[in-house]
């Protein structure tokens, strides 16, 4: 019976999720990082997918596997120098996961970012944020997982178009210029907001790249 | 008199002189198909086929004229057939037959212009070309070019291909060039004899009994000897495995052939607004006897009270569960008992299961008569969390709603032991919080079902059991003993005597799934969707005479039914190809891997499992295969002349 329900769920529903990165920098580039992966709009499909071994040829992890990996990352983050107040929340009913921590400086943030984005086998030294003088830069590159998904564009077409990535960065000082026309600035010009569908990010890896010059 | 009448009827349905054609048909074909081309093209215009991707993809696969685009190729082929001297205004016949170990697939056309035909053949394959083999006998001229052959007399043109079930050509690498030429010549002579045998028109017309059973007035009528077809399919599939000496994975299927023994007739009709496929199948006596027991079951009349009138899909089956379980065990035991060595373990497991299983008890619990209905598609609002942002881009959680379409279904079956069934259902009650009993209704409300705003309900009454996700069915329809009594009579009439029955309103389902009027309009405007938005009806009945099946598809746009079906198949094929890369699947390497796996488990001095083909066409289980022999030579210092060599297969003259 469950299989029938799964079948109907997969048949009648299309899935999507949102990723929200919220970074709050202090003047010395210490700060707080919070990333939220919200799949609640697709909770019915996710429940169905989790009963399957694979979807579109990709392995679907089971809850214990996910927990094990979360626990591993949490331990690594907690043990890392320069990272404090690590908090990982998970909600397996609505499928909302958040990771939040404070970092002492950009270097600590880079290492924590590497822990979060690398898998068990490879190390990922890539870090999109850099700072020099009165400017702040973001330069992204397509991550391996996204590349794999991009190869299966047809299967993931609906997922790409309906899922979103949002990046919010709060600075302690006013932004003078922002090179990326996709970025929006708050009224007080201290906060930067950019949001896009995954489709845009896969098609244009430079979509998020920006250089910010402060006043 | 009967024969005359039969020939007269046949003449009326075949454009070519029936006597002339029939005498060239084999007496025992594996497959025979008659295509009334004028009727088919009238209903399914060729021009409409050209528009679809599947057709273009198909044309790209055609080995000739690869550079040409599909459209011009199609026009070319149609024009060329006429120019070639053949007629498209008469029936086309496809015949697959077996002569000794040679399988032939032939397509028969009526000749329009014999002079033009012979001129074209000579242009394509000139006389004197060393690669082409010519012969003539029984009023037929024949030429053979590799696996392709063409044969013709004054009226009939036959083009075909051959496949040998022997492995002799596989050994050609250890022959010299001269030996290869000689071998090819010998094979061509052998093949020519076999082909000419088909055209040897001196047998009695009445010997082709299969023609009487065919659907005479169908646009496409086919006859299939399933046992024969399975045999050649299995032979072809297992050839590589046999060659590399791997365990023959198809042997269980091979051994099940007595159960697959049936003759199948299919008729396809293009009526005014519907596509009708009729099929009748007559099995061997052994299988018929067993199936009669399996299908000996009547619907409990009470079930019909619960079949809604306007269901999107309604399907029923009636089998005798006890007989079905026994039938399954019989087949499995028979299959395993014939597998060398390992089969006895399978038989052991089956015997063990059969000893402890109470087939009669299970057959009483669930008698085997059931009707499933997809009642409607209801809309449910399901909440989800997302985020809103203030002017400084600080986020706050908000709850929004998605509208989902959830199908409501019901399954009704009969039980001969409701008390025992209830006892079984009670087992899980105290173990799980999501499984409860509310007013005699078993309710499952787990996470998945909660999220789509529903539950799964199971109820058992005196003689029936119900499974549904529709609370109104459980709490309104069942207490009222079903729907309107008038519907009962209608459903009873529909299902009576049918072992399987299905009614599916694809048009209603598509409209239920459409989100807006725009989508409904899209269905009406798109040719393929319009063809798909029809009504499917399927029924199957079983009697001592065999299985009779009818499938009807009623649609407002009949002209695109075939394109739609083939487009679906094409999409499915592309999806599978994309997902699993089937193209890369290599039976040869699988066979080699299996061979090595076998060697590694049994060791070089182990007992060979593989059957070996002997000169008389039978298999020798004692001869080792060549890989095995090599392994023996490498591993054991034994004298070469002592090693047993596989017998070389030569062609049978």
């Amino acid at each position: 019976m469950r299989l029938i329900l799964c079948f109907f769920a997969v048949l009648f529903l299309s899935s999507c999720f949102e990723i929200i990165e919220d970074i709050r920098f202090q003047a010395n580039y210490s700060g707080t990082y919070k990333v939220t992966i919200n799949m609640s709009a697709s909770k019915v499909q996710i429940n169905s997918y989790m009963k399957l071994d694979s979807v579109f040829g990709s392995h679907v992890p089971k809850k214990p596997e996910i927990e094990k990996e979360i626990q591993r990352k949490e331990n690594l983050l907690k043990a890392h120098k320069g990272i404090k107040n690590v908090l990982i929340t998970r909600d397996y009913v609505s499928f909302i996961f958040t990771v939040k921590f404070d970092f002492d400086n950009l270097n600590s943030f880079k290492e924590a970012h590497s822990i979060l984005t690398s898998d068990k086998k490879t190390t990922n030294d890539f870090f999109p944020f850099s700072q020099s003088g009165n400017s702040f830069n973001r330069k992204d590159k397509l991550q391996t997982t996204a590349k794999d998904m991009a190869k299966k564009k047809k299967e993931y077409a609906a997922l790409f178009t309906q899922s979103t990535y949002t990046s919010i960065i709060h600075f302690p000082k006013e932004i003078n210029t922002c090179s990326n026309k996709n970025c929006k600035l708050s009224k007080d010009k201290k906060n930067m907001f950019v949001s896009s569908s995954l489709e845009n990010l896969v098609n244009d890896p430079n979509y998020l790249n920006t250089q910010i010059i402060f006043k | 008199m009967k024969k005359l009448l039969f020939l007269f009827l046949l003449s009326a349905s075949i454009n070519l002189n029936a006597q002339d054609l029939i005498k060239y048909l084999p007496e025992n074909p594996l497959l025979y198909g008659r295509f009334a081309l004028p009727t088919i093209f009238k209903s399914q215009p060729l021009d409409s086929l050209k528009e679809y991707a599947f057709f273009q993809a198909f044309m790209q696969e055609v080995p000739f004229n690869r550079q040409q685009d599909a459209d011009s190729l199609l026009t070319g082929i149609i024009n060329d057939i006429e120019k070639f001297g053949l007629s498209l205004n008469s029936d086309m016949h496809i015949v697959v037959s077996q002569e000794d170990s040679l399988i032939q697939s032939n397509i028969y056309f009526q000749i329009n212009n014999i002079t033009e035909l012979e001129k074209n053949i000579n242009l394509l394959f000139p006389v004197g070309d060393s690669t082409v083999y010519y012969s003539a006998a029984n009023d037929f001229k024949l030429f053979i070019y590799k696996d392709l052959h063409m044969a013709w007399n004054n009226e009939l043109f036959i083009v075909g291909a051959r496949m040998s079930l022997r492995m002799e050509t596989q050994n050609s690498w250890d022959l010299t060039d001269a030996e290869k030429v000689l071998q090819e010549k010998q094979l061509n002579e052998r093949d020519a004899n076999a082909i000419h045998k088909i055209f040897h028109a001196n047998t009695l017309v009445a010997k082709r009994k299969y023609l009487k059973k065919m659907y005479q007035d169908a646009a496409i009528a086919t006859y299939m000897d399933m046992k024969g077809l399975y045999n050649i399919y299995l032979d072809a599939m297992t050839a590589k495995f046999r060659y590399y000496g791997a365990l023959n994975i198809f042997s269980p299927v091979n051994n099940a052939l007595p159960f697959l023994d049936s003759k199948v007739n299919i008729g396809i009709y293009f009526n005014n607004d519907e596509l009708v496929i009729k099929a009748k199948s007559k099995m061997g006596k052994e299988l018929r006897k067993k199936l009669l027991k399996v299908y000996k079951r009547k619907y409990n009349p009470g079930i019909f009270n619960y079949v809604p009138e306007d269901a999107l899909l309604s399907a029923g089956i009636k089998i005798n569960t006890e007989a079905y379980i026994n039938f399954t065990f019989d087949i499995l035991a028979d299959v395993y008992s014939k597998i060398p060595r390992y089969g006895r373990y399978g038989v052991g497991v089956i015997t063990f299961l059969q000893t402890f299983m109470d087939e009669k008890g299970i057959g009483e619990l669930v008698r085997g008569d059931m009707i499933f209905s997809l009642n409607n598609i209801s809309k449910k609002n399901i909440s989800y969390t997302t985020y809103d942002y203030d002017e400084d881009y600080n986020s706050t959680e908000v709850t929004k709603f998605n509208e989902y379409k959830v199908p409501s279904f019901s399954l009704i079956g009969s039980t001969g032991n409701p008390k025992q069934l209830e006892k079984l259902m009670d087992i899980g009650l105290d173990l799980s919080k999501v499984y409860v009993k509310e007013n005699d209704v078993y309710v499952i409300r787990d996470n998945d079902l909660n999220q789509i705003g529903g539950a799964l309900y199971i109820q058992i009454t005196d003689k029936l059991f119900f499974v549904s996700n529709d609370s109104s069915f459980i709490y309104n329809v069942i207490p009222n003993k079903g729907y309107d009594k008038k519907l009962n009579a209608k459903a009873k009439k529909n299902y009576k005597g049918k072992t399987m029955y299905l009614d599916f309103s694809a048009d209603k389902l598509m409209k239920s799934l459409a989100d807006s009027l725009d989508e409904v309009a899209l269905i009406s405007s798109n040719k393929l969707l319009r063809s798909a938005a029809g009504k499917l009806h399927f029924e199957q009945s079983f009697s001592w005479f065999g299985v009779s099946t009818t499938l009807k598809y009623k649609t407002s746009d009949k002209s695109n039914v075939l394109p739609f079906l083939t487009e679906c198949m094409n999409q499915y094929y592309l999806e599978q190809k994309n997902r699993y890369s089937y193209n890369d699947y290599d039976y040869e390497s699988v066979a080699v891997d299996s061979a090595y796996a076998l060697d590694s488990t049994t060791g070089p001095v182990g007992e060979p499992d593989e059957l070996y083909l002997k000169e008389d066409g039978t298999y020798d289980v004692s001869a080792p295969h060549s890989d095995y022999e090599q392994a023996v030579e490498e591993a054991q210092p034994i004298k070469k002349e002592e090693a047993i060599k596989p017998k070389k297969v030569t062609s049978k003259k």
Side-chain angles (χ1 to χ4, degrees), chain A residues 2 12-13 18 24 38 40-41 43 47 51 93, chain B residues 383 385-387 391 394 404 446 448 451 513 578:
Chain A
R2 277 178 167 222
F12 291 108
L13 314 171
E18 55 182 336
R24 204 169 281 274
N38 175 11
S40 73
K43 57 187 175 186
N47 255 321
K51 291 179 179 58
V93 177
Chain B
S383 68
T385 306
T386 186
Y387 304 91
E391 58 182 19
N394 295 307
Y404 286 117
D446 76 348
D448 303 356
Q451 283 185 341
L513 289 173
N578 191 27

PDB file of all heavy atoms in Angstrom, chain A residues 2 12-13 18 24 38 40-41 43 47 51 93, chain B residues 383 385-387 391 394 404 446 448 451 513 578:
ATOM      1  N   ARG A   2       1.943   1.179   0.765  1.00  0.00           N
ATOM      2  CA  ARG A   2       2.849   2.343   0.811  1.00  0.00           C
ATOM      3  C   ARG A   2       3.432   2.631  -0.556  1.00  0.00           C
ATOM      4  O   ARG A   2       3.575   3.781  -0.949  1.00  0.00           O
ATOM      5  CB  ARG A   2       3.995   2.069   1.784  1.00  0.00           C
ATOM      6  CG  ARG A   2       3.614   2.354   3.201  1.00  0.00           C
ATOM      7  CD  ARG A   2       4.732   2.040   4.131  1.00  0.00           C
ATOM      8  NE  ARG A   2       4.425   2.614   5.415  1.00  0.00           N
ATOM      9  CZ  ARG A   2       5.308   3.237   6.168  1.00  0.00           C
ATOM     10  NH1 ARG A   2       6.529   3.389   5.750  1.00  0.00           N
ATOM     11  NH2 ARG A   2       4.969   3.712   7.336  1.00  0.00           N
ATOM     12  N   PHE A  12       1.908  12.722  -8.931  1.00  0.00           N
ATOM     13  CA  PHE A  12       1.101  13.933  -8.952  1.00  0.00           C
ATOM     14  C   PHE A  12       1.805  15.180  -8.427  1.00  0.00           C
ATOM     15  O   PHE A  12       1.283  16.267  -8.521  1.00  0.00           O
ATOM     16  CB  PHE A  12      -0.175  13.716  -8.126  1.00  0.00           C
ATOM     17  CG  PHE A  12      -1.100  12.746  -8.775  1.00  0.00           C
ATOM     18  CD1 PHE A  12      -1.270  11.476  -8.258  1.00  0.00           C
ATOM     19  CD2 PHE A  12      -1.787  13.077  -9.922  1.00  0.00           C
ATOM     20  CE1 PHE A  12      -2.123  10.576  -8.864  1.00  0.00           C
ATOM     21  CE2 PHE A  12      -2.633  12.175 -10.542  1.00  0.00           C
ATOM     22  CZ  PHE A  12      -2.796  10.926 -10.005  1.00  0.00           C
ATOM     23  N   LEU A  13       2.949  15.021  -7.833  1.00  0.00           N
ATOM     24  CA  LEU A  13       3.574  16.172  -7.216  1.00  0.00           C
ATOM     25  C   LEU A  13       4.927  16.471  -7.838  1.00  0.00           C
ATOM     26  O   LEU A  13       5.588  15.598  -8.345  1.00  0.00           O
ATOM     27  CB  LEU A  13       3.775  15.897  -5.717  1.00  0.00           C
ATOM     28  CG  LEU A  13       2.588  15.313  -4.981  1.00  0.00           C
ATOM     29  CD1 LEU A  13       3.011  14.914  -3.596  1.00  0.00           C
ATOM     30  CD2 LEU A  13       1.442  16.298  -4.914  1.00  0.00           C
ATOM     31  N   GLU A  18      14.253  25.291  -0.712  1.00  0.00           N
ATOM     32  CA  GLU A  18      14.965  26.569  -0.695  1.00  0.00           C
ATOM     33  C   GLU A  18      16.158  26.488   0.246  1.00  0.00           C
ATOM     34  O   GLU A  18      16.098  25.834   1.294  1.00  0.00           O
ATOM     35  CB  GLU A  18      14.029  27.734  -0.349  1.00  0.00           C
ATOM     36  CG  GLU A  18      13.257  27.611   0.930  1.00  0.00           C
ATOM     37  CD  GLU A  18      12.305  28.788   1.166  1.00  0.00           C
ATOM     38  OE1 GLU A  18      12.532  29.875   0.620  1.00  0.00           O
ATOM     39  OE2 GLU A  18      11.340  28.604   1.915  1.00  0.00           O
ATOM     40  N   ARG A  24      26.131  37.285   9.118  1.00  0.00           N
ATOM     41  CA  ARG A  24      26.131  38.579   9.819  1.00  0.00           C
ATOM     42  C   ARG A  24      27.574  38.889  10.239  1.00  0.00           C
ATOM     43  O   ARG A  24      28.109  38.234  11.146  1.00  0.00           O
ATOM     44  CB  ARG A  24      25.221  38.481  11.041  1.00  0.00           C
ATOM     45  CG  ARG A  24      24.643  39.773  11.552  1.00  0.00           C
ATOM     46  CD  ARG A  24      23.567  39.503  12.588  1.00  0.00           C
ATOM     47  NE  ARG A  24      22.297  39.114  11.976  1.00  0.00           N
ATOM     48  CZ  ARG A  24      21.386  39.952  11.557  1.00  0.00           C
ATOM     49  NH1 ARG A  24      21.566  41.256  11.694  1.00  0.00           N
ATOM     50  NH2 ARG A  24      20.257  39.518  11.017  1.00  0.00           N
ATOM     51  N   ASN A  38      15.357  24.292   3.513  1.00  0.00           N
ATOM     52  CA  ASN A  38      13.933  24.141   3.800  1.00  0.00           C
ATOM     53  C   ASN A  38      13.261  23.350   2.681  1.00  0.00           C
ATOM     54  O   ASN A  38      13.116  23.827   1.566  1.00  0.00           O
ATOM     55  CB  ASN A  38      13.312  25.545   3.920  1.00  0.00           C
ATOM     56  CG  ASN A  38      11.815  25.480   4.095  1.00  0.00           C
ATOM     57  OD1 ASN A  38      11.245  24.418   4.324  1.00  0.00           O
ATOM     58  ND2 ASN A  38      11.159  26.621   3.969  1.00  0.00           N
ATOM     59  N   SER A  40      10.212  21.912   3.198  1.00  0.00           N
ATOM     60  CA  SER A  40       8.851  21.648   3.688  1.00  0.00           C
ATOM     61  C   SER A  40       7.805  21.716   2.588  1.00  0.00           C
ATOM     62  O   SER A  40       6.780  21.052   2.657  1.00  0.00           O
ATOM     63  CB  SER A  40       8.490  22.592   4.833  1.00  0.00           C
ATOM     64  OG  SER A  40       8.262  23.881   4.338  1.00  0.00           O
ATOM     65  N   ALA A  41       8.073  22.498   1.538  1.00  0.00           N
ATOM     66  CA  ALA A  41       7.100  22.567   0.448  1.00  0.00           C
ATOM     67  C   ALA A  41       7.044  21.252  -0.325  1.00  0.00           C
ATOM     68  O   ALA A  41       6.124  21.023  -1.094  1.00  0.00           O
ATOM     69  CB  ALA A  41       7.453  23.718  -0.489  1.00  0.00           C
ATOM     70  N   LYS A  43       7.534  18.203   1.381  1.00  0.00           N
ATOM     71  CA  LYS A  43       7.646  17.165   2.411  1.00  0.00           C
ATOM     72  C   LYS A  43       6.956  15.858   2.005  1.00  0.00           C
ATOM     73  O   LYS A  43       7.413  14.774   2.363  1.00  0.00           O
ATOM     74  CB  LYS A  43       7.117  17.666   3.751  1.00  0.00           C
ATOM     75  CG  LYS A  43       5.682  18.150   3.748  1.00  0.00           C
ATOM     76  CD  LYS A  43       5.345  18.782   5.075  1.00  0.00           C
ATOM     77  CE  LYS A  43       3.941  19.387   5.027  1.00  0.00           C
ATOM     78  NZ  LYS A  43       3.639  20.129   6.238  1.00  0.00           N
ATOM     79  N   ASN A  47       9.097  12.401   1.701  1.00  0.00           N
ATOM     80  CA  ASN A  47       8.697  11.195   2.422  1.00  0.00           C
ATOM     81  C   ASN A  47       8.626  10.004   1.492  1.00  0.00           C
ATOM     82  O   ASN A  47       9.011   8.892   1.851  1.00  0.00           O
ATOM     83  CB  ASN A  47       7.321  11.416   3.060  1.00  0.00           C
ATOM     84  CG  ASN A  47       7.444  11.634   4.549  1.00  0.00           C
ATOM     85  OD1 ASN A  47       8.252  10.980   5.193  1.00  0.00           O
ATOM     86  ND2 ASN A  47       6.670  12.547   5.079  1.00  0.00           N
ATOM     87  N   LYS A  51      11.536   6.446   0.830  1.00  0.00           N
ATOM     88  CA  LYS A  51      11.211   5.008   0.830  1.00  0.00           C
ATOM     89  C   LYS A  51      11.881   4.298  -0.340  1.00  0.00           C
ATOM     90  O   LYS A  51      11.836   3.085  -0.457  1.00  0.00           O
ATOM     91  CB  LYS A  51       9.707   4.825   0.753  1.00  0.00           C
ATOM     92  CG  LYS A  51       9.024   5.263   2.026  1.00  0.00           C
ATOM     93  CD  LYS A  51       7.552   5.100   1.943  1.00  0.00           C
ATOM     94  CE  LYS A  51       6.912   5.525   3.249  1.00  0.00           C
ATOM     95  NZ  LYS A  51       7.215   6.900   3.620  1.00  0.00           N
ATOM     96  N   VAL A  93       9.791  16.109  10.055  1.00  0.00           N
ATOM     97  CA  VAL A  93       8.376  16.149   9.645  1.00  0.00           C
ATOM     98  C   VAL A  93       8.228  17.148   8.500  1.00  0.00           C
ATOM     99  O   VAL A  93       7.663  16.845   7.456  1.00  0.00           O
ATOM    100  CB  VAL A  93       7.465  16.520  10.837  1.00  0.00           C
ATOM    101  CG1 VAL A  93       6.005  16.640  10.388  1.00  0.00           C
ATOM    102  CG2 VAL A  93       7.594  15.457  11.917  1.00  0.00           C
TER     103      VAL A  93
ATOM    104  N   SER B 383       0.042  22.453   4.289  1.00  0.00           N
ATOM    105  CA  SER B 383       0.828  23.612   4.730  1.00  0.00           C
ATOM    106  C   SER B 383       2.321  23.367   4.542  1.00  0.00           C
ATOM    107  O   SER B 383       2.791  22.228   4.553  1.00  0.00           O
ATOM    108  CB  SER B 383       0.539  23.887   6.203  1.00  0.00           C
ATOM    109  OG  SER B 383       1.051  22.837   6.972  1.00  0.00           O
ATOM    110  N   THR B 385       6.323  25.599   5.301  1.00  0.00           N
ATOM    111  CA  THR B 385       6.977  26.761   5.915  1.00  0.00           C
ATOM    112  C   THR B 385       7.862  27.450   4.888  1.00  0.00           C
ATOM    113  O   THR B 385       8.565  26.786   4.133  1.00  0.00           O
ATOM    114  CB  THR B 385       7.857  26.306   7.104  1.00  0.00           C
ATOM    115  OG1 THR B 385       7.028  25.559   7.976  1.00  0.00           O
ATOM    116  CG2 THR B 385       8.469  27.482   7.836  1.00  0.00           C
ATOM    117  N   THR B 386       7.810  28.766   4.880  1.00  0.00           N
ATOM    118  CA  THR B 386       8.756  29.520   4.067  1.00  0.00           C
ATOM    119  C   THR B 386       9.097  30.820   4.829  1.00  0.00           C
ATOM    120  O   THR B 386       8.734  30.948   6.008  1.00  0.00           O
ATOM    121  CB  THR B 386       8.207  29.784   2.643  1.00  0.00           C
ATOM    122  OG1 THR B 386       9.236  30.391   1.874  1.00  0.00           O
ATOM    123  CG2 THR B 386       6.968  30.651   2.655  1.00  0.00           C
ATOM    124  N   TYR B 387       9.738  31.753   4.191  1.00  0.00           N
ATOM    125  CA  TYR B 387      10.235  32.910   4.938  1.00  0.00           C
ATOM    126  C   TYR B 387       9.877  34.218   4.245  1.00  0.00           C
ATOM    127  O   TYR B 387       9.891  34.303   3.014  1.00  0.00           O
ATOM    128  CB  TYR B 387      11.765  32.824   5.108  1.00  0.00           C
ATOM    129  CG  TYR B 387      12.174  31.530   5.773  1.00  0.00           C
ATOM    130  CD1 TYR B 387      12.469  30.408   5.006  1.00  0.00           C
ATOM    131  CD2 TYR B 387      12.209  31.421   7.158  1.00  0.00           C
ATOM    132  CE1 TYR B 387      12.805  29.211   5.596  1.00  0.00           C
ATOM    133  CE2 TYR B 387      12.543  30.223   7.767  1.00  0.00           C
ATOM    134  CZ  TYR B 387      12.842  29.117   6.976  1.00  0.00           C
ATOM    135  OH  TYR B 387      13.161  27.930   7.583  1.00  0.00           O
ATOM    136  N   GLU B 391      12.597  44.999   5.884  1.00  0.00           N
ATOM    137  CA  GLU B 391      13.376  45.895   5.021  1.00  0.00           C
ATOM    138  C   GLU B 391      14.891  45.746   5.218  1.00  0.00           C
ATOM    139  O   GLU B 391      15.672  46.108   4.344  1.00  0.00           O
ATOM    140  CB  GLU B 391      12.955  47.353   5.236  1.00  0.00           C
ATOM    141  CG  GLU B 391      13.093  47.833   6.675  1.00  0.00           C
ATOM    142  CD  GLU B 391      12.614  49.265   6.841  1.00  0.00           C
ATOM    143  OE1 GLU B 391      11.874  49.766   5.974  1.00  0.00           O
ATOM    144  OE2 GLU B 391      13.001  49.870   7.854  1.00  0.00           O
ATOM    145  N   ASN B 394      15.852  40.729   7.469  1.00  0.00           N
ATOM    146  CA  ASN B 394      15.775  39.773   8.570  1.00  0.00           C
ATOM    147  C   ASN B 394      14.582  38.866   8.256  1.00  0.00           C
ATOM    148  O   ASN B 394      13.513  39.358   7.879  1.00  0.00           O
ATOM    149  CB  ASN B 394      15.557  40.470   9.900  1.00  0.00           C
ATOM    150  CG  ASN B 394      16.754  41.335  10.246  1.00  0.00           C
ATOM    151  OD1 ASN B 394      17.894  40.863  10.252  1.00  0.00           O
ATOM    152  ND2 ASN B 394      16.504  42.631  10.492  1.00  0.00           N
ATOM    153  N   TYR B 404      -2.590  20.126  -3.416  1.00  0.00           N
ATOM    154  CA  TYR B 404      -2.204  18.837  -3.988  1.00  0.00           C
ATOM    155  C   TYR B 404      -3.435  18.087  -4.468  1.00  0.00           C
ATOM    156  O   TYR B 404      -4.512  18.231  -3.916  1.00  0.00           O
ATOM    157  CB  TYR B 404      -1.485  17.976  -2.938  1.00  0.00           C
ATOM    158  CG  TYR B 404      -0.089  18.434  -2.641  1.00  0.00           C
ATOM    159  CD1 TYR B 404       0.268  18.873  -1.382  1.00  0.00           C
ATOM    160  CD2 TYR B 404       0.880  18.401  -3.627  1.00  0.00           C
ATOM    161  CE1 TYR B 404       1.550  19.295  -1.110  1.00  0.00           C
ATOM    162  CE2 TYR B 404       2.168  18.824  -3.369  1.00  0.00           C
ATOM    163  CZ  TYR B 404       2.497  19.272  -2.101  1.00  0.00           C
ATOM    164  OH  TYR B 404       3.770  19.685  -1.840  1.00  0.00           O
ATOM    165  N   ASP B 446      -0.364   7.253   9.457  1.00  0.00           N
ATOM    166  CA  ASP B 446       1.064   7.468   9.676  1.00  0.00           C
ATOM    167  C   ASP B 446       1.478   8.807   9.080  1.00  0.00           C
ATOM    168  O   ASP B 446       0.653   9.556   8.547  1.00  0.00           O
ATOM    169  CB  ASP B 446       1.900   6.290   9.151  1.00  0.00           C
ATOM    170  CG  ASP B 446       2.033   6.279   7.645  1.00  0.00           C
ATOM    171  OD1 ASP B 446       1.297   7.035   6.995  1.00  0.00           O
ATOM    172  OD2 ASP B 446       2.866   5.521   7.135  1.00  0.00           O
ATOM    173  N   ASP B 448       3.114   9.814   6.449  1.00  0.00           N
ATOM    174  CA  ASP B 448       2.864  10.076   5.027  1.00  0.00           C
ATOM    175  C   ASP B 448       1.422  10.453   4.794  1.00  0.00           C
ATOM    176  O   ASP B 448       1.103  11.411   4.096  1.00  0.00           O
ATOM    177  CB  ASP B 448       3.135   8.834   4.175  1.00  0.00           C
ATOM    178  CG  ASP B 448       4.523   8.315   4.353  1.00  0.00           C
ATOM    179  OD1 ASP B 448       5.274   8.970   5.076  1.00  0.00           O
ATOM    180  OD2 ASP B 448       4.833   7.271   3.779  1.00  0.00           O
ATOM    181  N   GLN B 451       0.284  13.800   6.149  1.00  0.00           N
ATOM    182  CA  GLN B 451       0.745  14.952   5.381  1.00  0.00           C
ATOM    183  C   GLN B 451      -0.135  15.238   4.181  1.00  0.00           C
ATOM    184  O   GLN B 451      -0.262  16.373   3.762  1.00  0.00           O
ATOM    185  CB  GLN B 451       2.186  14.728   4.936  1.00  0.00           C
ATOM    186  CG  GLN B 451       3.141  14.953   6.080  1.00  0.00           C
ATOM    187  CD  GLN B 451       4.569  14.848   5.635  1.00  0.00           C
ATOM    188  OE1 GLN B 451       4.856  14.292   4.599  1.00  0.00           O
ATOM    189  NE2 GLN B 451       5.466  15.364   6.440  1.00  0.00           N
ATOM    190  N   LEU B 513      -6.880  16.282 -13.453  1.00  0.00           N
ATOM    191  CA  LEU B 513      -5.523  16.697 -13.090  1.00  0.00           C
ATOM    192  C   LEU B 513      -5.194  18.097 -13.586  1.00  0.00           C
ATOM    193  O   LEU B 513      -4.283  18.738 -13.070  1.00  0.00           O
ATOM    194  CB  LEU B 513      -4.507  15.711 -13.675  1.00  0.00           C
ATOM    195  CG  LEU B 513      -4.467  14.337 -13.021  1.00  0.00           C
ATOM    196  CD1 LEU B 513      -3.542  13.409 -13.796  1.00  0.00           C
ATOM    197  CD2 LEU B 513      -3.998  14.431 -11.583  1.00  0.00           C
ATOM    198  N   ASN B 578      18.496   6.691 -21.118  1.00  0.00           N
ATOM    199  CA  ASN B 578      19.192   7.764 -20.435  1.00  0.00           C
ATOM    200  C   ASN B 578      19.565   7.356 -19.009  1.00  0.00           C
ATOM    201  O   ASN B 578      20.659   7.615 -18.527  1.00  0.00           O
ATOM    202  CB  ASN B 578      18.267   8.989 -20.411  1.00  0.00           C
ATOM    203  CG  ASN B 578      18.987  10.216 -19.962  1.00  0.00           C
ATOM    204  OD1 ASN B 578      20.198  10.311 -20.134  1.00  0.00           O
ATOM    205  ND2 ASN B 578      18.272  11.142 -19.390  1.00  0.00           N
TER     206      ASN B 578
END
